[in-house]
Short mmCIF file of all heavy atoms in Angstrom, two decimals:
data_model
loop_
_atom_site.label_atom_id
_atom_site.label_comp_id
_atom_site.label_asym_id
_atom_site.label_seq_id
_atom_site.Cartn_x
_atom_site.Cartn_y
_atom_site.Cartn_z
N LEU A 1 0.83 -1.22 0.00
CA LEU A 1 0.00 0.00 0.00
C LEU A 1 0.86 1.26 0.00
O LEU A 1 0.52 2.25 -0.68
CB LEU A 1 -0.94 -0.01 1.20
CG LEU A 1 -1.97 -1.14 1.24
CD1 LEU A 1 -2.78 -1.09 2.53
CD2 LEU A 1 -2.90 -1.07 0.03
N LEU A 2 1.94 1.24 0.74
CA LEU A 2 2.85 2.40 0.74
C LEU A 2 3.47 2.62 -0.63
O LEU A 2 3.70 3.76 -1.05
CB LEU A 2 3.94 2.21 1.80
CG LEU A 2 3.49 2.37 3.25
CD1 LEU A 2 4.59 1.90 4.20
CD2 LEU A 2 3.10 3.81 3.55
N THR A 3 3.73 1.53 -1.33
CA THR A 3 4.29 1.64 -2.68
C THR A 3 3.28 2.26 -3.64
O THR A 3 3.65 3.08 -4.49
CB THR A 3 4.74 0.26 -3.19
OG1 THR A 3 5.74 -0.26 -2.31
CG2 THR A 3 5.30 0.35 -4.60
N ILE A 4 2.02 1.87 -3.51
CA ILE A 4 0.98 2.49 -4.33
C ILE A 4 0.94 4.00 -4.07
O ILE A 4 0.88 4.81 -5.00
CB ILE A 4 -0.39 1.86 -4.05
CG1 ILE A 4 -0.42 0.41 -4.52
CG2 ILE A 4 -1.51 2.66 -4.74
CD1 ILE A 4 -1.69 -0.33 -4.15
N TYR A 5 1.00 4.37 -2.80
CA TYR A 5 1.00 5.80 -2.46
C TYR A 5 2.20 6.50 -3.09
O TYR A 5 2.07 7.57 -3.70
CB TYR A 5 1.03 5.99 -0.94
CG TYR A 5 0.86 7.43 -0.51
CD1 TYR A 5 -0.37 7.91 -0.10
CD2 TYR A 5 1.93 8.32 -0.56
CE1 TYR A 5 -0.54 9.24 0.27
CE2 TYR A 5 1.78 9.65 -0.21
CZ TYR A 5 0.54 10.10 0.21
OH TYR A 5 0.38 11.41 0.56
N ASP A 6 3.37 5.90 -2.95
CA ASP A 6 4.59 6.52 -3.46
C ASP A 6 4.52 6.72 -4.97
O ASP A 6 4.92 7.76 -5.49
CB ASP A 6 5.80 5.65 -3.11
CG ASP A 6 7.09 6.21 -3.68
OD1 ASP A 6 7.43 7.36 -3.35
OD2 ASP A 6 7.74 5.51 -4.47
N MET A 7 4.00 5.74 -5.69
CA MET A 7 3.96 5.82 -7.14
C MET A 7 2.90 6.80 -7.65
O MET A 7 3.00 7.30 -8.78
CB MET A 7 3.74 4.44 -7.74
CG MET A 7 4.90 3.48 -7.49
SD MET A 7 4.77 1.97 -8.45
CE MET A 7 5.09 2.58 -10.11
N CYS A 8 1.89 7.06 -6.83
CA CYS A 8 0.77 7.89 -7.29
C CYS A 8 0.71 9.27 -6.65
O CYS A 8 -0.16 10.09 -7.00
CB CYS A 8 -0.56 7.17 -7.03
SG CYS A 8 -0.72 5.59 -7.87
N LYS A 9 1.61 9.57 -5.72
CA LYS A 9 1.50 10.81 -4.95
C LYS A 9 1.66 12.06 -5.81
O LYS A 9 1.22 13.15 -5.41
CB LYS A 9 2.49 10.83 -3.80
CG LYS A 9 3.96 10.86 -4.18
CD LYS A 9 4.82 10.83 -2.92
CE LYS A 9 6.30 10.97 -3.25
NZ LYS A 9 6.82 9.80 -4.02
N ALA A 10 2.28 11.95 -6.99
CA ALA A 10 2.41 13.11 -7.86
C ALA A 10 1.05 13.58 -8.37
O ALA A 10 0.86 14.77 -8.66
CB ALA A 10 3.33 12.78 -9.03
N LEU A 11 0.10 12.65 -8.48
CA LEU A 11 -1.25 13.01 -8.93
C LEU A 11 -2.11 13.56 -7.82
O LEU A 11 -2.91 14.47 -8.01
CB LEU A 11 -1.93 11.79 -9.56
CG LEU A 11 -1.31 11.22 -10.84
CD1 LEU A 11 -2.10 10.00 -11.31
CD2 LEU A 11 -1.28 12.30 -11.93
N ASP A 12 -1.96 12.96 -6.62
CA ASP A 12 -2.80 13.38 -5.50
C ASP A 12 -2.20 12.84 -4.21
O ASP A 12 -2.02 11.63 -4.06
CB ASP A 12 -4.23 12.85 -5.67
CG ASP A 12 -5.12 13.22 -4.51
OD1 ASP A 12 -4.78 14.16 -3.77
OD2 ASP A 12 -6.16 12.55 -4.34
N LYS A 13 -1.90 13.73 -3.27
CA LYS A 13 -1.33 13.31 -2.00
C LYS A 13 -2.39 13.04 -0.94
O LYS A 13 -2.08 12.78 0.22
CB LYS A 13 -0.34 14.37 -1.49
CG LYS A 13 0.90 14.50 -2.37
CD LYS A 13 1.84 15.56 -1.85
CE LYS A 13 3.13 15.61 -2.66
NZ LYS A 13 2.90 15.88 -4.09
N GLY A 14 -3.66 13.12 -1.33
CA GLY A 14 -4.74 12.92 -0.38
C GLY A 14 -5.20 11.49 -0.23
O GLY A 14 -6.26 11.22 0.35
N MET A 15 -4.43 10.54 -0.73
CA MET A 15 -4.79 9.12 -0.60
C MET A 15 -4.79 8.73 0.88
O MET A 15 -4.01 9.26 1.68
CB MET A 15 -3.81 8.25 -1.37
CG MET A 15 -3.89 8.38 -2.88
SD MET A 15 -2.53 7.49 -3.70
CE MET A 15 -1.16 8.62 -3.45
N CYS A 16 -5.64 7.78 1.23
CA CYS A 16 -5.77 7.37 2.63
C CYS A 16 -5.58 5.86 2.75
O CYS A 16 -6.27 5.08 2.09
CB CYS A 16 -7.15 7.77 3.16
SG CYS A 16 -7.42 7.31 4.88
N ILE A 17 -4.64 5.45 3.59
CA ILE A 17 -4.37 4.04 3.84
C ILE A 17 -5.01 3.64 5.17
O ILE A 17 -4.89 4.36 6.16
CB ILE A 17 -2.86 3.76 3.88
CG1 ILE A 17 -2.24 4.01 2.51
CG2 ILE A 17 -2.57 2.33 4.35
CD1 ILE A 17 -0.72 3.91 2.49
N GLY A 18 -5.66 2.49 5.20
CA GLY A 18 -6.29 2.07 6.45
C GLY A 18 -6.81 0.65 6.42
O GLY A 18 -6.61 -0.08 5.45
N ASP A 19 -7.49 0.29 7.51
CA ASP A 19 -8.14 -1.01 7.65
C ASP A 19 -7.15 -2.16 7.47
O ASP A 19 -7.48 -3.21 6.93
CB ASP A 19 -9.29 -1.14 6.65
CG ASP A 19 -10.21 -2.31 6.98
OD1 ASP A 19 -10.32 -2.63 8.17
OD2 ASP A 19 -10.80 -2.90 6.06
N ILE A 20 -5.92 -1.96 7.93
CA ILE A 20 -4.92 -3.04 7.86
C ILE A 20 -5.13 -3.96 9.05
O ILE A 20 -5.07 -3.52 10.20
CB ILE A 20 -3.49 -2.47 7.86
CG1 ILE A 20 -3.27 -1.57 6.63
CG2 ILE A 20 -2.46 -3.60 7.89
CD1 ILE A 20 -1.93 -0.85 6.63
N HIS A 21 -5.39 -5.22 8.79
CA HIS A 21 -5.62 -6.15 9.90
C HIS A 21 -5.37 -7.59 9.47
O HIS A 21 -5.35 -7.91 8.28
CB HIS A 21 -7.05 -6.01 10.44
CG HIS A 21 -8.12 -6.38 9.46
ND1 HIS A 21 -8.63 -5.48 8.55
CD2 HIS A 21 -8.76 -7.56 9.24
CE1 HIS A 21 -9.55 -6.09 7.82
NE2 HIS A 21 -9.64 -7.35 8.21
N LEU A 22 -5.20 -8.43 10.46
CA LEU A 22 -5.05 -9.87 10.24
C LEU A 22 -6.42 -10.46 9.95
O LEU A 22 -7.37 -10.27 10.71
CB LEU A 22 -4.44 -10.53 11.48
CG LEU A 22 -4.18 -12.03 11.39
CD1 LEU A 22 -3.05 -12.31 10.40
CD2 LEU A 22 -3.82 -12.59 12.76
N VAL A 23 -6.54 -11.15 8.84
CA VAL A 23 -7.81 -11.78 8.46
C VAL A 23 -7.94 -13.16 9.10
O VAL A 23 -8.97 -13.50 9.68
CB VAL A 23 -7.93 -11.90 6.93
CG1 VAL A 23 -9.23 -12.60 6.53
CG2 VAL A 23 -7.85 -10.52 6.28
N GLU A 24 -6.87 -13.93 9.00
CA GLU A 24 -6.87 -15.25 9.62
C GLU A 24 -5.45 -15.75 9.78
O GLU A 24 -4.53 -15.30 9.10
CB GLU A 24 -7.67 -16.25 8.79
CG GLU A 24 -7.08 -16.51 7.40
CD GLU A 24 -7.90 -17.50 6.59
OE1 GLU A 24 -9.13 -17.53 6.79
OE2 GLU A 24 -7.32 -18.22 5.76
N LYS A 25 -5.29 -16.69 10.71
CA LYS A 25 -4.00 -17.35 10.86
C LYS A 25 -4.26 -18.77 11.33
O LYS A 25 -5.26 -19.07 12.00
CB LYS A 25 -3.10 -16.60 11.84
CG LYS A 25 -3.41 -16.78 13.32
CD LYS A 25 -2.50 -17.82 13.93
CE LYS A 25 -2.72 -17.97 15.43
NZ LYS A 25 -1.92 -19.08 16.01
N THR A 26 -3.35 -19.69 10.95
CA THR A 26 -3.48 -21.08 11.35
C THR A 26 -2.15 -21.58 11.89
O THR A 26 -1.09 -21.05 11.56
CB THR A 26 -3.88 -21.99 10.16
OG1 THR A 26 -2.83 -21.97 9.17
CG2 THR A 26 -5.17 -21.52 9.52
N GLY A 27 -2.22 -22.60 12.73
CA GLY A 27 -1.02 -23.21 13.28
C GLY A 27 -0.61 -22.60 14.60
O GLY A 27 -1.05 -21.51 14.98
N GLY A 28 0.22 -23.31 15.32
CA GLY A 28 0.74 -22.79 16.58
C GLY A 28 -0.10 -23.15 17.78
O GLY A 28 -1.23 -23.62 17.68
N LYS A 29 0.46 -22.90 18.96
CA LYS A 29 -0.18 -23.24 20.23
C LYS A 29 -1.50 -22.53 20.45
O LYS A 29 -2.44 -23.09 21.01
CB LYS A 29 0.79 -22.92 21.37
CG LYS A 29 0.26 -23.31 22.75
CD LYS A 29 1.29 -22.98 23.81
CE LYS A 29 0.76 -23.31 25.21
NZ LYS A 29 1.77 -22.98 26.25
N SER A 30 -1.59 -21.28 19.99
CA SER A 30 -2.81 -20.49 20.22
C SER A 30 -3.95 -20.89 19.31
O SER A 30 -5.08 -20.43 19.47
CB SER A 30 -2.52 -19.00 20.06
OG SER A 30 -2.12 -18.71 18.72
N GLY A 31 -3.68 -21.74 18.31
CA GLY A 31 -4.74 -22.21 17.43
C GLY A 31 -5.06 -21.24 16.31
O GLY A 31 -4.34 -20.27 16.08
N ASP A 32 -6.16 -21.51 15.64
CA ASP A 32 -6.56 -20.70 14.50
C ASP A 32 -7.23 -19.40 14.96
O ASP A 32 -7.81 -19.33 16.04
CB ASP A 32 -7.51 -21.48 13.59
CG ASP A 32 -6.84 -22.70 12.97
OD1 ASP A 32 -5.61 -22.82 13.12
OD2 ASP A 32 -7.54 -23.51 12.36
N PHE A 33 -7.15 -18.40 14.09
CA PHE A 33 -7.80 -17.11 14.35
C PHE A 33 -8.51 -16.67 13.09
O PHE A 33 -7.96 -16.76 11.99
CB PHE A 33 -6.76 -16.05 14.74
CG PHE A 33 -7.28 -14.64 14.74
CD1 PHE A 33 -7.88 -14.10 15.87
CD2 PHE A 33 -7.17 -13.85 13.60
CE1 PHE A 33 -8.37 -12.79 15.86
CE2 PHE A 33 -7.66 -12.55 13.58
CZ PHE A 33 -8.26 -12.02 14.71
N HIS A 34 -9.74 -16.19 13.24
CA HIS A 34 -10.50 -15.66 12.13
C HIS A 34 -11.09 -14.32 12.56
O HIS A 34 -11.83 -14.24 13.54
CB HIS A 34 -11.61 -16.62 11.71
CG HIS A 34 -11.11 -17.95 11.24
ND1 HIS A 34 -10.60 -18.16 9.97
CD2 HIS A 34 -10.99 -19.14 11.89
CE1 HIS A 34 -10.21 -19.41 9.85
NE2 HIS A 34 -10.42 -20.03 11.00
N TYR A 35 -10.75 -13.28 11.84
CA TYR A 35 -11.12 -11.91 12.22
C TYR A 35 -12.62 -11.73 12.38
O TYR A 35 -13.08 -11.15 13.36
CB TYR A 35 -10.59 -10.94 11.16
CG TYR A 35 -10.89 -9.48 11.43
CD1 TYR A 35 -10.13 -8.76 12.34
CD2 TYR A 35 -11.92 -8.83 10.75
CE1 TYR A 35 -10.39 -7.43 12.59
CE2 TYR A 35 -12.19 -7.49 10.99
CZ TYR A 35 -11.43 -6.80 11.92
OH TYR A 35 -11.70 -5.47 12.16
N ASN A 36 -13.40 -12.24 11.44
CA ASN A 36 -14.86 -12.05 11.50
C ASN A 36 -15.45 -12.69 12.74
O ASN A 36 -16.34 -12.12 13.39
CB ASN A 36 -15.53 -12.60 10.24
CG ASN A 36 -15.25 -11.75 9.02
OD1 ASN A 36 -14.94 -10.57 9.13
ND2 ASN A 36 -15.32 -12.35 7.84
N ASP A 37 -14.97 -13.88 13.10
CA ASP A 37 -15.46 -14.55 14.31
C ASP A 37 -15.11 -13.73 15.54
O ASP A 37 -15.90 -13.62 16.48
CB ASP A 37 -14.85 -15.95 14.43
CG ASP A 37 -15.32 -16.89 13.35
OD1 ASP A 37 -16.34 -16.57 12.70
OD2 ASP A 37 -14.67 -17.93 13.14
N HIS A 38 -13.91 -13.15 15.55
CA HIS A 38 -13.45 -12.36 16.68
C HIS A 38 -14.31 -11.11 16.84
O HIS A 38 -14.66 -10.72 17.96
CB HIS A 38 -11.99 -11.99 16.46
CG HIS A 38 -11.23 -11.77 17.72
ND1 HIS A 38 -11.28 -12.63 18.79
CD2 HIS A 38 -10.38 -10.78 18.10
CE1 HIS A 38 -10.51 -12.19 19.76
NE2 HIS A 38 -9.95 -11.06 19.36
N ILE A 39 -14.66 -10.46 15.73
CA ILE A 39 -15.48 -9.26 15.77
C ILE A 39 -16.88 -9.59 16.30
O ILE A 39 -17.46 -8.86 17.10
CB ILE A 39 -15.59 -8.61 14.36
CG1 ILE A 39 -14.25 -7.96 13.99
CG2 ILE A 39 -16.69 -7.58 14.33
CD1 ILE A 39 -13.86 -6.80 14.86
N GLU A 40 -17.44 -10.71 15.84
CA GLU A 40 -18.77 -11.11 16.28
C GLU A 40 -18.79 -11.37 17.79
O GLU A 40 -19.72 -10.97 18.49
CB GLU A 40 -19.22 -12.36 15.53
CG GLU A 40 -19.55 -12.09 14.06
CD GLU A 40 -19.88 -13.36 13.30
OE1 GLU A 40 -19.94 -14.43 13.94
OE2 GLU A 40 -20.08 -13.29 12.08
N LYS A 41 -17.76 -12.03 18.30
CA LYS A 41 -17.69 -12.28 19.74
C LYS A 41 -17.56 -10.98 20.51
O LYS A 41 -18.17 -10.80 21.56
CB LYS A 41 -16.49 -13.18 20.04
CG LYS A 41 -16.65 -14.61 19.55
CD LYS A 41 -15.41 -15.44 19.88
CE LYS A 41 -15.55 -16.86 19.34
NZ LYS A 41 -14.33 -17.66 19.61
N SER A 42 -16.76 -10.06 19.97
CA SER A 42 -16.57 -8.77 20.64
C SER A 42 -17.88 -7.97 20.66
O SER A 42 -18.22 -7.37 21.67
CB SER A 42 -15.49 -7.97 19.90
OG SER A 42 -15.38 -6.67 20.43
N SER A 43 -18.60 -7.98 19.55
CA SER A 43 -19.88 -7.25 19.49
C SER A 43 -20.88 -7.83 20.47
O SER A 43 -21.63 -7.10 21.12
CB SER A 43 -20.45 -7.33 18.06
OG SER A 43 -19.57 -6.73 17.13
N GLY A 44 -20.87 -9.15 20.63
CA GLY A 44 -21.76 -9.78 21.57
C GLY A 44 -21.48 -9.37 23.00
O GLY A 44 -22.39 -9.14 23.79
N LYS A 45 -20.18 -9.23 23.35
CA LYS A 45 -19.82 -8.80 24.69
C LYS A 45 -20.25 -7.36 24.94
O LYS A 45 -20.65 -6.99 26.04
CB LYS A 45 -18.31 -8.94 24.88
CG LYS A 45 -17.84 -10.38 24.95
CD LYS A 45 -16.33 -10.46 25.11
CE LYS A 45 -15.86 -11.90 25.15
NZ LYS A 45 -14.38 -12.00 25.28
N ASP A 46 -20.14 -6.51 23.90
CA ASP A 46 -20.56 -5.10 24.06
C ASP A 46 -22.04 -5.01 24.37
O ASP A 46 -22.48 -4.16 25.14
CB ASP A 46 -20.24 -4.32 22.78
CG ASP A 46 -18.82 -3.79 22.77
OD1 ASP A 46 -18.17 -3.84 23.83
OD2 ASP A 46 -18.36 -3.35 21.71
#
């Protein structure tokens, strides 16, 4: 994303980078992670 900004900044410096997050991961002691499931659990607690 930073490279896209760098290559295009001559046209417009108002580009906005965001919403960078882990979507999912597998393996390891902590087990699998899925972002959407995590958000749903968090919303339920709220």
